[in-house]
Amino acid sequence: LIDVGHSIDKNIDIDVSMVNFIDSSGIGSLISLYKLQSKKGRKLTIRNANADIRTILRLTSLSDVLGVE
């Protein structure tokens, strides 16, 4: 994800409809990508998250800083 963030200079949408679980490594990657996007003045949006992923994003407060749709 970070390599993609470095190579793209536009907003990034991540479709997680096929993701059933996210661990601390995945959370860390999202945070790193969010920071990179923020430095570029761009957005990171998570799309199509199931209830479990939404709960994890909410419990880690990532839903407060990331776009979650």
Side-chain angles (χ1 to χ4, degrees):
L1 284 177
I2 301 306
D3 290 339
V4 171
H6 282 293
S7 64
I8 295 177
D9 190 26
K10 57 174 100 172
N11 295 335
I12 296 177
D13 293 346
I14 300 177
D15 182 344
V16 295
S17 59
M18 301 298 291
V19 176
N20 295 317
F21 174 78
I22 188 168
D23 63 9
S24 60
S25 295
I27 295 295
S29 293
L30 289 176
I31 291 169
S32 295
L33 185 55
Y34 168 75
K35 287 179 180 179
L36 179 63
Q37 287 295 95
S38 292
K39 286 180 184 177
K40 295 189 293 185
R42 300 294 184 177
K43 294 181 181 180
L44 173 61
T45 303
I46 306 300
R47 297 190 185 279
N48 303 313
N50 67 30
D52 292 337
I53 300 299
R54 285 180 180 272
T55 298
I56 291 168
L57 294 173
R58 184 178 45 78
L59 291 174
T60 58
S61 299
L62 281 177
S63 60
D64 295 340
V65 293
L66 300 177
V68 180
E69 298 178 2

